[in-house]
Amino acid sequence: GESILHHEYFILKKNFAEEDHTISFTVPVLDPLPPQYFIRVVSDRWLAGETLLPVSFRHLILPEKYPPPTELLDLQPLPVTALRNVSYEKLYPTITHFNPIQTQVFTALYNSDDNVLVSAPTGSGKTICAEFALLRLINKWTSQAGSSEGASLVGMRAVYLGPSAALVTQRHKEWTKTFGAILGLNVVMLTGESSQDLKLLDKGNLVCTTPEHWDMLSRRWKQRKNIQSVALFMADELHLIGSEHGHVIEVVTSRMRYISSQLESSCRVVGLSTSLANSRDLGEWIGVGTHGLFNFAPGVRPVPLELHITALDILSFEARMQAMAKPAYSALLTHLSPPSTSTSSASTGSSAIIFVPTRKHARLTALDLLTFAASD
């Protein structure tokens, strides 16, 4: 029998009847591969208005199959005391155990010096995963120095690469309060001004930078010993390599790999990204072995994600936007907890964010929600 893989309703208007129209859709490729698929176009107004187009797969060349995502193992949550250092435990005062993803990647990041790629959904705690590698570097450096902790960090250098200035600023602010205040690291953020950045790089243990700023400094790496001495390179949001500014991320990451191959001192690369289809390609590019590749499925989340879709068959854009207000208000009532009647500071209800296309629609939607709330 036939299986319908995709169906779509298309309205052909009289004014555009003689123009070309393009319809894009995605269908799964079955295994084993059938000899052909059929595209059937049927009119719902005219008798015998039907066309059947066969699509042959005889000479179809498919890309190599990607490996399945990393299975999230049912492990006992790892306590913070597994860091085996009281000072390190002070970095995480609000948690007692690491989440399942952090538990699974802990050994590869904290107990080895291999390159690692962690691909997991947003909100999975990948920043703490990068901190495992940083703590590993501090352990190695202090043990080799064999002196007091403050002096032993002189010369230790790690780089955090964030895709945007906002993310880099946030990470610099957070790590200054934790790694800077508790562990004594000098956390610096590059500004984009060469002479000032060279001074910051010289005295910094943990350097936070954007791809553009690091590209400007690392181009002359042969003349700059501080670039050559980087022992840990953490690239965040590595999936953005395919974005508009992704070429800069690719250049600086490849350059750090090249510098490490040319010098005796090795530079460990830790990549962080969302879940990927081609994680193996990305892992091979940054030198990750099979034991250092973690690509968790998009559905693997410490906080479960629910997706609800409401369809509106309204052609007019403004009318459709207005019709969306009531379902949005109903969703807020369904999924958010109301404020408590208690007078404590924690008595506020849950929060929500609603995305609309323009500032005008943000104001109109807010007024609609207020109207619905007042009527209730």
Side-chain angles (χ1 to χ4, degrees):
E2 294 183 351
S3 298
I4 299 177
L5 303 178
H6 176 81
H7 64 89
E8 187 172 335
Y9 190 72
F10 176 72
I11 299 177
L12 181 61
K13 297 185 177 180
K14 179 181 178 181
N15 295 340
F16 308 103
E18 297 183 359
E19 297 182 6
D20 293 336
H21 299 271
T22 302
I23 300 178
S24 301
F25 55 90
T26 304
V27 294
V29 177
L30 303 179
D31 190 16
L33 187 67
Q36 58 188 3
Y37 277 3
F38 293 97
I39 299 177
R40 189 188 304 273
V41 183
V42 182
S43 172
D44 65 343
R45 299 291 181 87
W46 301 91
L47 294 175
E50 180 176 333
T51 301
L52 186 66
L53 175 66
V55 179
S56 176
F57 290 162
R58 180 173 301 176
H59 302 292
L60 179 65
I61 300 177
L62 295 174
E64 182 182 358
K65 290 185 177 180
Y66 294 122
T70 304
E71 181 183 359
L72 184 63
L73 305 178
D74 187 16
L75 302 176
Q76 186 74 19
L78 202 64
V80 178
T81 53
L83 296 171
R84 303 186 299 276
N85 189 307
V86 178
S87 298
Y88 297 171
E89 295 174 21
K90 294 179 181 178
L91 298 172
Y92 310 105
T94 59
I95 61 175
T96 58
H97 293 76
F98 296 116
N99 69 33
I101 291 178
Q102 295 163 353
T103 298
Q104 189 162 335
V105 305
F106 180 83
T107 300
L109 288 167
Y110 191 73
N111 296 328
S112 77
D113 296 316
D114 299 332
N115 294 350
V116 176
L117 174 64
V118 180
S119 301
T122 303
S124 301
K126 295 189 292 294
T127 301
I128 293 182
C129 296
E131 292 174 357
F132 290 158
L134 182 57
L135 294 174
R136 165 74 177 184
L137 177 62
I138 297 173
N139 276 340
K140 286 183 56 182
W141 202 268
T142 52
S143 62
Q144 291 173 2
S147 57
S148 61
E149 184 172 322
S152 64
L153 295 177
V154 177
M156 190 204 82
R157 191 162 289 108
V159 173
Y160 168 82
L161 189 79
S164 65
L167 182 59
V168 172
T169 302
Q170 177 188 357
R171 198 65 62 232
H172 172 260
K173 184 178 180 180
E174 292 176 355
W175 281 345
T176 300
K177 295 179 180 179
T178 54
F179 285 89
I182 298 176
L183 299 184
L185 268 69
N186 191 355
V187 185
V188 300
M189 182 175 65
L190 301 187
T191 62
E193 203 279 316
S194 297
S195 59
Q196 183 179 356
D197 285 347
L198 287 173
K199 295 178 182 178
L200 291 172
L201 183 63
D202 181 59
K203 66 180 182 180
N205 300 123
L206 178 54
V207 181
C208 302
T209 176
T210 61
E212 291 78 13
H213 294 166
W214 189 249
D215 179 35
M216 190 165 52
L217 277 189
S218 61
R219 286 182 182 180
R220 300 177 58 187
W221 63 269
K222 291 184 179 180
Q223 290 80 32
R224 293 169 177 170
K225 297 296 183 182
N226 290 333
I227 301 291
Q228 301 176 16
S229 64
V230 173
L232 174 63
F233 184 77
M234 300 172 286
D236 202 356
E237 307 291 344
L238 206 54
H239 58 279
L240 294 179
I241 193 174
S243 65
E244 181 181 358
H245 302 286
H247 62 281
V248 187
I249 302 176
E250 181 179 0
V251 166
V252 295
T253 306
S254 298
R255 184 179 296 146
M256 296 306 297
R257 290 269 295 146
Y258 178 75
I259 294 173
S260 179
S261 66
Q262 296 298 308
L263 303 176
E264 295 181 359
S265 58
S266 61
C267 175
R268 185 186 192 187
V269 179
V270 174
L272 307 174
S273 76
T274 59
S275 302
L276 300 169
N278 59 336
S279 61
R280 185 170 62 183
D281 296 339
L282 200 64
E284 291 176 353
W285 169 56
I286 63 174
V288 173
T290 55
H291 298 291
L293 180 61
F294 300 92
N295 182 35
F296 298 97
V300 176
R301 289 174 169 268
V303 179
L305 177 67
E306 295 183 9
L307 184 64
H308 302 269
I309 298 177
T310 302
L312 298 172
D313 189 13
I314 302 175
L315 295 180
S316 173
F317 175 74
E318 293 297 336
R320 186 165 64 249
M321 289 300 302
Q322 188 175 3
M324 287 181 180
K326 185 61 176 178
Y329 179 72
S330 300
L332 294 177
L333 295 180
T334 303
H335 300 288
L336 296 186
S337 58
S340 171
T341 56
S342 172
T343 58
S344 64
S345 59
S347 62
T348 56
S350 304
S351 301
I353 182 169
I354 299 176
F355 293 94
V356 292
T358 65
R359 180 180 299 179
K360 168 190 171 184
H361 290 102
R363 182 174 58 86
L364 293 176
T365 303
L367 292 174
D368 288 339
L369 295 178
L370 289 174
T371 302
F372 294 141
S375 63
D376 287 347

